[in-house]
Amino acid sequence: MGSPPVKGFGQGDPALAAWAEAVYAPEDEVLREIRERSEAAGLPPVQVGRFDGLHLEVLARAAGARRAVEIGTLGGYSGVCLLRGMGPEGILHTFEFDPRHAEVARESFARAGVAGRAVIHVGRALERLRDVEAGGPFDLVFVDADKGGYPAYLAWAEVHLRVGGLLLADNTFGFGHVHDPSGAGEDAPAMAPLRAFSERLARSGRFRATILPTAEGLSVGVKIG
Ligand code: SAH
Ligand code: DHB
Ligand code: MG
């Protein structure tokens, strides 16, 4: 048997997924508590998947990130993952529009023991991002807020990431519809911006980028110029 001559894009076998969960244990007690408390507080259950959280931690660690920006905090699940990857020197500036979400995240950062390294900025990200620009350039930017805003967040990252810095973005498969020009499906108005985001990330020459075929699509770009 062996591998097929042309390898596919992802891996959808549930038995392999169960095996990977058991061996790599992507979600510990702290993250499980954050997910459950966020849901109990009425937040939408849209934090990154367990494996995406682990990807974020490992990618932040591989990048040696010390100064990072997250756009879209929710209850702090992905922020805790990033901060774990950044180690004791790492600082995360995370941006959240909804003050109720920010309150849940504040508690999450405290429980995870990272409150001293997490700065939550409440307000529309595009308005608040300028508050941290003087503290840049940044080592890592993770984009996970309103999907229509992705092109503008990428434009910000092009300026405020250092060369060699990492751009990460969740949901770049557009809930399965990013490639569908008919404009049908979930969050339809966001599909054109999500397409524009990937086209610019992949083709602008400012990044060398790929898209990891996670359930949601996780774009990863290294700034090269
Ligand atoms: N990264 C989080 C999930 C983020 S969900 C995690 O994986 O744990 C998206 C979040 O972005 C929501 O909390 C939403 O309130 C916030 N958001 C939406 N539009 C925003 C904007 N313009 N500025 C800042 N935050 C925004
Ligand atoms: C939604 C947002 C996300 O960031 C996500 O990962 C899943 C869903 C949403 O707004 O529906
Ligand atoms: Mg997301």
Side-chain angles (χ1 to χ4, degrees):
M1 285 289 283
S3 294
V6 179
K7 295 182 204 296
F9 188 49
Q11 176 50 251
D13 182 337
L16 277 173
W19 169 85
E21 287 258 351
V23 173
Y24 287 84
E27 183 181 85
D28 69 358
E29 276 303 297
V30 171
L31 291 172
R32 188 178 60 81
E33 190 276 335
I34 292 171
R35 193 163 46 73
E36 292 176 355
R37 182 167 35 79
S38 298
E39 191 173 348
L43 273 51
V46 297
Q47 66 284 325
V48 293
R50 289 192 274 261
F51 265 103
D52 294 301
L54 181 57
H55 297 333
L56 293 178
E57 179 186 332
V58 172
L59 287 166
R61 190 175 289 273
R66 292 288 172 268
R67 285 181 293 187
V69 166
E70 173 181 67
I71 305 175
T73 314
L74 193 67
Y77 189 104
S78 56
V80 166
C81 297
L82 289 166
L83 280 160
R84 285 175 168 177
M86 288 196 286
E89 309 280 286
I91 303 277
L92 178 70
H93 288 278
T94 183
F95 292 81
E96 175 53 55
F97 171 67
D98 188 325
R100 288 187 320 118
H101 298 187
E103 271 318 299
V104 174
R106 220 173 286 289
E107 174 74 15
S108 300
F109 293 138
R111 291 194 186 212
V114 297
R117 302 192 287 113
V119 186
I120 306 176
H121 301 260
V122 181
R124 289 195 183 282
L126 274 182
E127 290 157 22
R128 293 268 69 82
L129 276 164
R130 60 178 77 107
D131 298 345
V132 302
E133 287 174 0
F138 295 93
D139 304 312
L140 185 155
V141 173
F142 173 49
V143 178
D144 194 19
D146 52 307
K147 308 312 162 196
Y150 275 35
Y153 302 141
L154 176 58
W156 189 89
E158 283 171 4
V159 176
H160 296 286
L161 267 177
R162 67 168 168 82
V163 171
L166 207 55
L167 185 286
L168 306 171
D170 189 35
N171 309 109
T172 47
F173 286 157
F175 314 107
H177 296 284
V178 70
H179 63 303
D180 178 2
S182 76
E186 193 177 333
D187 208 358
M191 293 311 116
L194 280 178
R195 269 197 297 281
F197 169 90
S198 271
E199 287 164 9
R200 180 163 170 168
L201 180 67
R203 298 174 182 167
S204 70
R206 310 278 316 258
F207 292 88
R208 185 64 178 150
T210 188
I211 182 165
L212 301 182
T214 65
E216 294 287 346
L218 182 66
S219 290
V220 179
V222 178
K223 185 170 160 182
I224 56 175

